[in-house]
Amino acid sequence: PICMSLSWTDCKGKVWPCKITAGVADDVRDATNLDLLNLADDEGAIFKEIRTTNATLTNVMYCIAISNGETATEKEFHRGIDGDTYGAMDDAFVEAVVDFTPPDRRAAVRAMVEKTNAVKAKAILRFAKSVENLNLDAVVESMGAKADQRMISAVARLTDAG
């Protein structure tokens, strides 16, 4: 089989490698305690966590890039990540996982991908509904009360200090 060159591009135009090998999986496990060799365990819990938590996806993708020979610092890596980049990283991660999976198991992995896509879609709908149901008057009132309390505390500290 041909070894595909898997990658994604950050918001600054830098192309990052995303090839998973057994050695890369070891490096990711050592750095994050996430075992890419067992992504399907517990109904795909690790796979879901990586795909639904931006911080986890970022950490895993940084480890994959470093393991593939990149030398950027974590800070440099993070500077190239924006909202659109999370989508590019997720797509590349999914393709890398499929590529890393033995051919006879790829259909099962693609089914796991579809399941996590559904989880992500439900989470987005839940978030949208919570925003829709947000009571803006109560939020503004709460913010005003907190600001008032901070002002009262600051004045009290000034008068106590004087």
Side-chain angles (χ1 to χ4, degrees), residues 1-147:
I2 297 172
C3 215
M4 292 181 2
S5 174
L6 300 163
S7 62
W8 57 278
T9 304
D10 71 15
C11 68
K12 295 182 171 217
K14 168 124 178 70
V15 177
W16 296 92
C18 188
K19 176 72 176 163
I20 300 174
T21 64
V24 169
D26 288 346
D27 292 343
V28 170
R29 185 195 59 239
D30 292 347
T32 67
N33 276 338
L34 297 170
D35 191 352
L36 300 184
L37 295 173
N38 294 308
L39 286 176
D41 288 4
D42 295 326
E43 297 181 358
I46 294 170
F47 193 63
K48 282 184 227 165
E49 179 184 343
I50 293 169
R51 295 199 62 218
T52 59
T53 309
N54 287 341
T56 305
L57 177 64
T58 301
N59 290 338
V60 168
M61 295 302 274
Y62 178 69
C63 291
I64 290 172
I66 294 302
S67 188
N68 275 282
E70 287 292 331
T71 58
T73 65
E74 217 169 336
K75 196 171 200 168
E76 290 167 336
F77 183 80
H78 289 169
R79 284 192 178 119
I81 298 173
D82 64 0
D84 291 340
T85 305
Y86 285 116
M89 287 193 305
D90 181 57
D91 291 345
F93 177 70
V94 166
E95 287 309 309
V97 167
V98 171
D99 179 67
F100 181 57
T101 303
D104 62 333
R105 296 187 202 151
R106 287 186 182 159
V109 169
R110 289 207 184 273
M112 186 171 62
V113 168
E114 292 308 313
K115 196 157 195 121
T116 57
N117 285 346
V119 168
K120 288 174 72 172
K122 281 185 179 182
I124 291 166
L125 286 174
R126 175 184 264 173
F127 174 70
K129 192 170 197 161
S130 70
V131 169
E132 187 177 299
N133 294 332
L134 193 60
N135 182 340
L136 293 179
D137 291 335
V139 170
V140 170
E141 184 64 34
S142 173
M143 289 170 59
K146 289 176 184 172

